[in-house]
Amino acid sequence: MTNPTLEQRVAALEDVAAIQALKWRYLRACDDKRPDDVRDCFLPDAVIDFEGFPLFTNRESFVDTFRQLGCRPSIVDMHHGQNPVVELTGPDTAHGFFDCYFFQIDTVTRRLVQLAVSYDDSLVRRDGRWWIARTVSRRRSMLVQAIGEDLVGRFAIVGRSDEAGPPPPPR
């Protein structure tokens, strides 16, 4: 549009705000271990491509894995979403880029994980609301710390995920 009307500009701002709120709602649902709310952020046939996990081609398989790995009492997660860039690509389509700082405490394995990741999302509006249709998450940096019986932390992985092998078992 060369000269959008005030109504079109306001609608675009509302769409961008709704897309950002969708992403923040997803991250909060992960932290709060609410798999049904996680599911409600994605289309049924969403493609979810997170580095370090198999490719998910539907939300149910992703939510099942989230429930198994992330919804344990010993896991404490915190996602800090930041740097949103949303581009409306059509009346009902958009592209979103988000960065996330992720911190996890696992009280059973005595491991702390810090990740910086970037999300590249494709979004669609259906039935009057925005959904994540595709999301790709890639690690930018990774820090894994094992906490020993003496409560001293030992760094297991420092750097990019592609620079290090799997973390050693906790001591």
Side-chain angles (χ1 to χ4, degrees):
M1 278 184 270
T2 53
N3 290 315
T5 66
L6 179 59
E7 182 178 278
Q8 290 168 322
R9 291 171 36 210
V10 169
L13 289 171
E14 289 174 341
D15 286 340
V16 168
I19 289 165
Q20 290 176 356
L22 169 64
K23 191 64 171 190
W24 309 148
R25 188 169 57 250
Y26 160 71
L27 296 176
R28 184 173 297 275
C30 289
D31 291 343
D32 292 343
K33 301 180 184 343
R34 294 189 324 254
D36 292 337
D37 291 346
V38 168
R39 176 187 297 105
D40 192 48
C41 295
F42 295 93
L43 286 176
D45 61 347
V47 174
I48 301 155
D49 181 1
F50 288 175
E51 184 175 3
F53 290 89
L55 178 68
F56 300 100
T57 57
N58 64 73
R59 68 182 180 188
E60 294 308 321
S61 59
F62 173 69
V63 170
D64 287 346
T65 298
F66 169 68
R67 186 176 275 117
Q68 291 171 16
L69 299 178
C71 294
R72 295 181 281 164
S74 64
I75 300 290
V76 179
D77 289 339
M78 179 55 70
H79 294 75
H80 297 272
Q82 59 194 26
N83 305 329
V85 176
V86 176
E87 300 170 355
L88 300 175
T89 57
D92 295 315
T93 59
H95 205 102
F97 302 94
F98 305 88
D99 290 329
C100 181
Y101 169 74
F102 171 77
F103 184 73
Q104 181 182 78
I105 302 168
D106 187 330
T107 60
V108 170
T109 64
R110 300 169 71 121
R111 185 165 292 160
L112 306 177
V113 176
Q114 296 176 59
L115 295 174
V117 300
S118 61
Y119 288 98
D120 179 348
D121 294 350
S122 295
L123 303 113
V124 298
R125 180 180 9 226
R126 293 212 182 128
D127 301 322
R129 64 165 281 202
W130 288 96
W131 301 85
I132 301 170
R134 180 191 58 83
T135 183
V136 176
S137 176
R138 295 294 180 255
R139 295 180 202 148
R140 293 181 165 276
S141 66
M142 182 174 187
L143 178 67
V144 177
Q145 188 175 13
I147 307 298
E149 292 294 323
D150 57 1
L151 300 180
V152 174
R154 292 169 183 83
F155 292 107
I157 294 176
V158 177
R160 291 184 54 88
S161 61
D162 56 0
E163 295 172 350
R171 299 174 198 221

